[in-house]
């Protein structure tokens, strides 16, 4: 018999009741160290006082008005995001997939408005993940997400990760854009080398294509810069963000240059809930913390510390850990045991981690993590590795 909750997730038999900072607790008070952050979402940890206060204050004033009226929180958050990035304009959504939908629609409309509606195809990369809507599963190109859901949305051409020849061969007169995650998250924490991102920017410029970045997971401070592409010294034309910007409240956004966004006039796109006052209060509160002096520098320091500790862990357990991947606080362990077994064994050590493709275990702590928390997590990971040896 089907469960009342549609069983589309294979869930751990574990429910949480409350959280504080880096820690999350069951109703019985059992404590877990959270290195998953709800898949890179609770970027400032649980129950951050500044976020709680911002949400509660807005909740007492006004929840929702629709986008038929000016929403001051949107004006403020959009202004701050445009000041802090390449972008000139922002559309707010409730999720990452919706931010990608806006990104895809905008790229197509850009060329259509220039008299080239036939230029609607977008090149994506093997191992990509862009969400679960009909267009974003087609963009991601993973058969297991596409099969059985009717004709695949047309307009996406996938090429192997890091194969410039294949990429050049895929560019035709119908190509509108290239879409890439600066660090593949679900695909297995695979960073795109900065020189490859710079090359993609050149290829786009040479061919009149738009460069679209999916920073839903890699963005909002995760790598120690506000956005991961900053490490490569390039800027995209359009970028999708979500996850960390809401700190746990559903918020996404599509950021774009004026040039790329020029045809998105009144009536061309919309969302009932996108950018509602509650979401904007939290998004602004997240930026209050992240843009404060020294915050991102601390994330960079913690990221280096974590990388070093994980390298040592790999040296201690070469039979369990094959490779350490990632940047900043977006790290992955490619394991020699099934990653699902590793995540379950880490759970026994009261440490939350998250599986990814390519048999990788993701470590995505809230960005407020301390060096002590990192040491504690690595001790738990060490015990997790040992637990496999005692079984063998
Ligand atoms: C999570 C994720 C998405 C989809 O976001 P949702 O909020 O689940 O729709 C898209 N792209 C990347 C890179 C992601 O990590």
């Amino acid at each position: 018999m089907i469960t009342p909750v549609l069983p589309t997730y294979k869930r751990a038999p574990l429910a949480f009741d409350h959280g504080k900072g880096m820690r999350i607790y069951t109703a019985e008070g059992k404590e877990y160290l959270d290195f998953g952050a709800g898949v890179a979402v609770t970027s400032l940890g649980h129950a951050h006082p500044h976020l709680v206060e911002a949400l509660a204050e807005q909740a007492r004033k006004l929840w929702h008005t629709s986008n038929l009226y000016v929403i001051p929180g949107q004006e403020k958050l959009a202004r701050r995001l445009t000041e802090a990035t390449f972008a000139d304009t922002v559309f707010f959504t409730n999720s990452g997939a919706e931010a990608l939908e806006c990104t895809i629609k905008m790229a197509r409309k850009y060329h259509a408005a220039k008299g080239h509606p036939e230029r609607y195809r977008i090149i994506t990369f093997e191992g990509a993940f862009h969400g679960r809507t009909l267009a974003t599963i087609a963009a991601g190109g993973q058969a297991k997400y596409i099969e059985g859901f009717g004709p695949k949305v047309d307009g996406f051409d996938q090429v192997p990760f890091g194969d410039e020849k294949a990429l050049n061969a895929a560019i035709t007169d119908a190509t509108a854009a290239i879409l890439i995650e600066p660090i593949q998250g679900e695909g297995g924490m695979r960073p795109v080398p900065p020189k490859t991102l710079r090359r993609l920017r050149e290829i786009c410029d040479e061919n009149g294509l738009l460069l679209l970045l999916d920073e839903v997971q890699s963005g909002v401070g995760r790598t120690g810069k506000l956005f991961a592409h900053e490490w490569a010294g390039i800027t995209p034309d359009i970028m999708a963000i979500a996850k960390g910007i809401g700190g746990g409240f559903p918020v996404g956004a599509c950021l774009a240059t004026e040039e790329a966004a020029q045809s998105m006039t009144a009536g061309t796109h919309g969302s009932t809930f996108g950018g509602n006052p509650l979401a904007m209060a939290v998004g602004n509160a997240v930026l209050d913390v992240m843009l404060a002096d020294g915050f991102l520098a601390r994330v960079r320091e913690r990221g280096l510390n974590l990388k070093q500790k994980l390298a040592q862990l790999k040296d201690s357990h070469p039979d369990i850990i094959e490779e350490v991947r990632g940047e900043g606080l977006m790290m992955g362990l490619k394991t020699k045991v099934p990653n699902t077994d590793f995540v379950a064994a880490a759970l026994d050590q009261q440490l939350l981690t998250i599986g990814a493709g390519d048999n990788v275990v993701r470590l995505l702590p809230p960005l407020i993590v301390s060096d002590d928390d990192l040491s504690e997590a690595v001790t738990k990971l060490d015990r997790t590795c040992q637990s496999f040896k005692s079984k063998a």
Side-chain angles (χ1 to χ4, degrees), residues 127-193:
F129 181 82
H130 299 298
R132 297 296 202 103
T133 61
L134 287 167
T136 56
I137 55 174
Q142 287 230 43
K144 65 174 177 184
Y145 296 148
I146 293 171
E147 273 164 20
F149 295 114
K152 184 180 143 192
V153 171
D154 180 38
F156 298 96
D157 298 309
Q158 198 157 61
V159 299
F161 195 69
D163 182 342
E164 192 178 326
K165 236 189 217 151
L167 172 63
N168 283 322
I171 297 172
T172 70
D173 293 344
T175 307
I178 295 174
L179 168 62
I180 192 165
E181 298 156 79
I183 303 175
Q184 280 192 347
E186 309 294 317
M189 307 305 251
R190 293 194 292 178
V192 178

Side-chain angles (χ1 to χ4, degrees), residues 271-286:
S271 167
T272 297
F273 291 120
N276 103 349
L278 295 171
M280 296 299 96
V282 182
N284 274 303
V286 167

Side-chain angles (χ1 to χ4, degrees), residues 95-97 129-131 181 186 214 216-217 243:
S95 68
F129 181 82
H130 299 298
E181 298 156 79
E186 309 294 317
D214 179 347
V216 168
Q217 195 162 151
K243 293 197 166 103

